[in-house]
Amino acid sequence: MASLLDPAARGRVILVGAGPGDPGLLTVRAVEALAQADVLVHDGLVDPRVLDMAPQAHRISVAKQRDRHTLPQDAINALIVAHVKTGAIVVRLKGGDPFIFGRGGEEVEAVREAGLPVEVIPGISAALGAAAEFNMPLTHRDWSSAVSFVAGQCKGLKDQDWSGLAGKGRTLVIYMGVATCPDIADKLMADGVAPDMPVAVLERGTLEGSRAMRTLLADLGEMVKREKVKSPAIIVVGEVTLLADAEDKLAAWARAAEALA
């Protein structure tokens, strides 16, 4: 079967992972797809420099924010399908990797149901990109033999079973958890994770102004508030965070408190 990147193949969708932010982390295949796009349907957090790699394409932003979407997912699916049916090459550009909390699976299903061809080009996920930037391995022979990825703003957060995902010898990576981090910390401690388990918050990974901050699980919510952490950011729970190039914010806060005493 010929690749969908074949210039002779018209009327198709290419889901492209835009990576964690830095355009230098795009794959070669992603750059090739951008150069062929007629229509570029993109997320809001994609770096403008990545969008500029497709100057010929008609751009459509489907930016999403917490509790507020410019278009519901069904409408995005219909938009993609409608443009493909005109014979256009539609690149659906998604931050990170399309299949890691990117709703890429839903979009592939919609395109298939319409009887249209689709290809997925993976991207470096936010977790992998941010962890690499701050030299934090998510697995390590001495510290962690398992890593799990969860979404921190899903409906029914308190009802989800995360038991066994965090603790000694394990790494838990939480996407979209800034707004709900106090509930996340309470949930994990209620499930038996030690309050003094180290955690790190990686803010704006691979982008200008990125920060890596470390504290203890019991202080997670307060640290996010003290440091005025904003999305995009990921939370990493586990002993591997001790290996990261991250500022120990709990120690810094303790020193400041002592100086005021």
Side-chain angles (χ1 to χ4, degrees):
M1 178 178 176
S3 167
L4 294 177
L5 289 176
D6 179 354
R10 304 294 306 175
R12 82 249 196 210
V13 181
I14 311 173
L15 267 68
V16 175
D22 182 351
L25 295 176
L26 280 171
T27 65
V28 172
R29 197 166 178 82
V31 174
E32 291 173 350
L34 288 169
Q36 295 183 29
D38 298 312
V39 178
L40 187 61
V41 181
H42 63 90
D43 289 347
L45 293 177
V46 175
D47 192 289
R49 293 171 293 175
V50 176
L51 302 180
D52 289 343
M53 294 181 182
Q56 77 290 345
H58 173 60
R59 298 181 187 179
I60 303 174
S61 172
V62 290
K64 298 177 182 178
Q65 299 178 13
R66 180 176 169 81
D67 299 327
R68 188 179 67 188
H69 295 179
T70 55
L71 285 176
Q73 188 61 52
D74 287 348
I76 294 173
N77 297 347
L79 175 72
I80 293 170
V81 168
H83 279 283
V84 175
K85 286 183 174 179
T86 69
I89 299 173
V90 178
V91 167
R92 175 67 172 105
L93 190 61
K94 308 178 77 68
D97 180 271
F99 284 169
I100 302 292
F101 302 122
R103 300 192 181 184
E106 298 174 43
E107 293 174 3
V108 166
E109 286 180 296
V111 175
R112 281 176 169 172
E113 287 175 3
L116 300 168
V118 58
E119 178 176 341
V120 179
I121 298 176
I124 295 174
S125 70
L128 299 183
E133 179 181 17
F134 297 108
N135 293 317
M136 180 174 68
L138 296 180
T139 63
H140 190 288
R141 285 197 301 169
D142 298 328
W143 297 96
S144 175
S145 60
V147 58
S148 301
F149 302 95
V150 299
Q153 68 173 39
C154 288
K155 294 179 180 179
L157 175 63
K158 293 182 180 180
D159 297 328
Q160 293 181 53
D161 183 7
W162 289 3
S163 57
L165 298 184
K168 190 170 183 63
R170 286 158 285 173
T171 304
L172 178 63
V173 179
I174 303 163
Y175 285 69
M176 302 169 286
V178 170
T180 56
C181 63
D183 293 333
I184 288 170
D186 290 344
K187 177 182 180 64
L188 290 173
M189 289 187 289
D191 284 344
V193 182
D196 63 351
M197 174 63 69
V199 302
V201 176
L202 310 181
E203 182 183 34
R204 292 183 56 79
T206 79
L207 295 169
E208 185 177 354
S210 62
R211 295 191 291 170
M213 297 155 277
R214 183 170 54 242
T215 188
L216 303 179
L217 180 59
D219 181 54
L220 175 61
E222 289 300 315
M223 185 198 73
V224 166
K225 184 188 300 182
R226 288 195 306 270
E227 298 298 323
K228 298 180 174 58
V229 176
K230 303 293 184 184
S231 295
I234 63 168
I235 299 167
V236 183
V237 181
E239 294 169 315
V240 293
T241 60
L242 297 173
L243 304 175
D245 295 334
E247 184 177 355
D248 188 338
K249 289 296 184 178
L250 185 59
W253 179 77
R255 287 194 299 269
E258 288 176 2
L260 293 173

